[in-house]
Amino acid sequence: MSKPTIGFIGLGAMGFGMATHLVSLGHPVTGFDVWPPTLERFKAAGGAVATTPADAVRECAFCICMVASAPQAQSALFDGDAAAIKALPKGAALLLASTVSSAYATSVASQLVDLNRADVQFIDCPVSGGTARAASGELTIMAGGTSSALAHGHELLLELTAPDKLFIVEGGVGAGSNMKMVHQVLAGVHVTAACEALGFAARLGLDPVKVYETVVGKGQEVDGWSWMFENRMQRALKEEYKPAASALTILLKDLGIITSTGRLTQFPTPLSSVTEQLFLSGVSLGWGPDDDSSMVRMYFPIPLSSVQSSNSSLSEVQRTQLVLDLLSSIHLCGAAEALAFTSHLKLDMQQYFTLCADAAGASWSFRTHGPEMIALLSATSAPAASTAVSKLTLEKRIERLEWVLVEAKNVGCPLYMGGEAMSQLSLARRRLGGEVDEVKGIIDGFWGTK
Amino acid sequence: MSKPTIGFIGLGAMGFGMATHLVSLGHPVTGFDVWPPTLERFKAAGGAVATTPADAVRECAFCICMVASAPQAQSALFDGDAAAIKALPKGAALLLASTVSSAYATSVASQLVDLNRADVQFIDCPVSGGTARAASGELTIMAGGTSSALAHGHELLLELTAPDKLFIVEGGVGAGSNMKMVHQVLAGVHVTAACEALGFAARLGLDPVKVYETVVGKGQEVDGWSWMFENRMQRALKEEYKPAASALTILLKDLGIITSTGRLTQFPTPLSSVTEQLFLSGVSLGWGPDDDSSMVRMYFPIPLSSVQSSNSSLSEVQRTQLVLDLLSSIHLCGAAEALAFTSHLKLDMQQYFTLCADAAGASWSFRTHGPEMIALLSATSAPAASTAVSKLTLEKRIERLEWVLVEAKNVGCPLYMGGEAMSQLSLARRRLGGEVDEVKGIIDGFWGTK
């Protein structure tokens, strides 16, 4: 049986890989992009091409939209005679794979109704995983929509995802985008924490390569490890900022979705907000197209390879511990912010945990403390505090972070994320006292409403 | 009757004015400073000079120490044979007028005991008011100590202060420094808010001069006014950053006292912490010796006089309102942080209000909402919500600040202080709902422990 035809809108770094992968599986794929040379490349890879979104999707059973932002999606799908929806055959499926806000995903559904195109099987299905996985069909996909639409698109979604990496998110259209968004809370916080920590290490006169090896060397068992640190800081060490593997502007767009959805749903996102302001500063400095790992320059403006000794009087072991403590303190607060937001949005926290614990959002803190955080955030069951993992008291966590902030001041290094973590932990202590453990402390003391 | 003799340590911008003022009143004053040209100037002004702290205070009834920091005070007072305390006559008074942490002021008292110099009448008395008022004897002074010491130094303190500007702070040694410190919470937050707001105005394509006039034009009746905005932004408009009227490093030192005292006394200082990180970034950029108003460059890196139109689609009136809303939102949260800290330290909030409402820490928000905040923070009385002033609901305040943050994002302007204010207001709404008024909202919802 021949594979269904696909109109593919947006052949950027991710879209090109996905579209050529579908070609390789035998789908007839017609691609559209605003950048003509890409169309030539796609033709060379076995695809057909179109000069408008409408022409790309005409007579296709599926339309996949993988443009960079909601405004681009709006333009490609709805605006004017060349837009895709009007040309889409009756009963065809629309897969919106771009990272957009759930508010925009929902608006697509209502626009379809307004245009009398409720026949379109619409799936809100942002992806994660990077360009290599896009091209090999091993993405992670978070899909929301009606049961009918999800059933319709299921096989195609499986073709794009790695085993067990297709997450069907309960909650209909918008739920997929929300799930991607809360994953990006971790991604954004961890990238920025990594840059802050490595910049701090350099200010402390530590060899950044050694610090990198300490954080990632023992696999993922180090309190302070994150997937983002391991992945992004390789590039920071080599100062491979151009061309970007993932540009500042991409994560800034995701951060904007987080903070605006937070405001729309009346939820505070303090660490994400600090991250967003830092990225706005980075863009102001002209770093927009650069790799997001280059945010390390906010903390250590000269090349990392030129680190010299600092005026810190602490031993190398002590200074390295400060860097690890900074990372684990931010990760603890970041895990709490991400899970509290997930809970607030009524997403399945267990599914979220499964997704993030083995994805770009992973950190030691999230994996280790996530289950207990979920129990604390669930009204349904009295949480059994985990005793299997080492936890600090809130007091001890604050004490460690205080040493970090004091030494950062000594060496003149700003720590925006560390400072925000301290504010949160300190507010939690003000409510619950310092003897409570750090996990219960941050969840009940900072995020609790009682 | 002849005036008592004074040994004066530290003839910097403030100390020189104070010392020459005392000379003009007829005191025999012997000055010491590490910078020889200053000694020449002091001699020309009618003072005597010494080459060590010990020689300055020998046979003096009073020693005034007005150096720049605690380490300098420690060195001048205690370290080695040339230090002041060993040479100080029995029963003389020591006035520590430098801005130091209360922890350091307390340590001076214990060091005196350890040296068997409990006979020294020690007064912890930081000052405020700037160099002109120092020279005219019209400073504000916050003095703590034993009753005996305070009685001993009273006349001299009066000679240095403007009418009604000598604040005797209950709580003994350390209380004066704490009172100065909580004043500096307002000062630091307001300077940074002013820079953020004027930088934002420039990004919005507004004429900074017009915005300045709007904020300060109608005297102090504008919601958004602060003494710091009025004072500092004059220099920002002229870009008079060198030489500094008040250097970045001075306020950074004060911010360090705030955040470290917060940590020591287990109190969160979130807005002060953001301010401190921003100032650390400023120093990293080489701006340490520059005027603190130059922090506007964090938000608008090119000269303010070169503002061109922006890509904002809002009217001039709307954009100006955004700037005012940014200021008043930060000032509201800043007033709450300052007063909650004052309450936490068991300082007299009413005295604090009297002091700050007519000093460099003043703002419209502090003056207008301070009394109700004090009532809410006082356990003693059920606060009568003020109905005389216009207040927004928490919901409405958040809505206004949201427009600010959305437009800032549109024009690419980071708003670190605005973002932090949003996080606080949003956390408060999570606890209390949005229908509560903004004053009760921030005090009970964010700072409340219940």
Side-chain angles (χ1 to χ4, degrees), chain B residues 133-429:
Chain B
R133 287 179 173 164
S136 63
E138 297 175 295
L139 288 168
T140 296
I141 298 190
M142 295 133 276
T146 62
S147 322
S148 155
L150 289 167
H152 198 88
H154 197 251
E155 200 167 339
L156 179 56
L157 289 167
L158 282 177
E159 290 179 329
L160 294 165
T161 47
D164 299 326
K165 293 296 184 186
L166 173 58
F167 292 89
I168 303 297
V169 187
E170 294 293 316
V173 165
S177 286
N178 272 340
M179 189 60 95
K180 166 82 193 249
M181 177 189 72
V182 281
H183 176 271
Q184 293 306 92
V185 171
L186 293 171
V189 168
H190 292 169
V191 167
T192 314
C195 292
E196 187 161 303
L198 206 60
F200 177 46
R203 292 265 196 165
L204 288 170
L206 292 167
D207 177 350
V209 175
K210 274 199 198 171
V211 171
Y212 180 84
E213 284 166 0
T214 302
V215 175
V216 310
K218 296 178 192 155
Q220 302 163 5
E221 298 308 308
V222 178
D223 185 358
W225 175 86
S226 72
W227 188 95
M228 281 293 183
F229 189 99
E230 180 162 354
N231 179 273
R232 295 296 204 274
M233 293 304 102
Q234 288 176 52
R235 291 205 285 282
L237 290 174
K238 295 176 192 158
E239 289 152 73
E240 287 179 358
Y241 300 147
K242 298 167 204 274
S246 184
L248 239 78
T249 45
I250 299 290
L251 196 45
L252 179 56
K253 188 200 60 152
D254 293 357
L255 291 163
I257 292 171
I258 292 165
T259 55
S260 64
T261 303
R263 293 192 295 259
L264 193 68
T265 65
Q266 308 207 339
F267 190 81
T269 54
L271 272 171
S272 305
S273 167
V274 174
T275 300
E276 184 181 23
Q277 304 312 324
L278 286 164
F279 271 64
L280 279 169
S281 288
V283 170
S284 285
L285 292 164
W287 306 344
D290 296 0
D291 199 75
D292 54 25
S293 62
S294 74
M295 283 292 289
V296 72
R297 292 175 290 181
M298 292 286 288
Y299 303 94
F300 193 76
I302 56 175
L304 283 172
S305 52
S306 63
V307 169
Q308 306 216 324
S309 63
S310 76
N311 55 359
S312 172
S313 58
L314 302 175
S315 73
E316 187 181 332
V317 170
Q318 287 171 318
R319 284 176 283 155
T320 304
Q321 188 58 47
L322 293 180
V323 176
L324 291 172
D325 285 341
L326 174 63
L327 284 166
S328 58
S329 300
I330 300 170
H331 293 172
L332 176 76
C333 294
E337 181 164 318
L339 279 163
F341 201 6
T342 303
S343 170
H344 174 74
L345 294 168
K346 304 199 190 325
L347 295 167
D348 180 338
M349 283 192 280
Q350 196 54 57
Q351 183 183 45
Y352 176 72
F353 181 77
T354 306
L355 194 168
C356 296
D358 188 30
S363 69
W364 183 92
S365 301
F366 182 80
R367 284 183 184 161
T368 307
H369 300 310
E372 187 185 344
M373 288 183 176
I374 292 170
L376 287 164
L377 288 163
S378 302
T380 47
S381 61
S386 162
T387 52
V389 297
S390 65
K391 277 183 296 185
L392 303 177
T393 61
L394 195 51
E395 192 61 46
K396 189 74 189 164
R397 167 62 60 191
I398 288 171
E399 189 184 300
R400 291 222 197 160
L401 186 53
E402 175 167 7
W403 292 335
V404 171
L405 290 168
V406 167
E407 197 61 12
K409 182 94 191 255
N410 286 346
V411 298
C413 185
L415 295 182
Y416 291 91
M417 304 292 279
E420 172 60 31
M422 177 57 103
S423 293
Q424 294 186 12
L425 294 164
S426 183
L427 200 78
R429 178 176 57 185

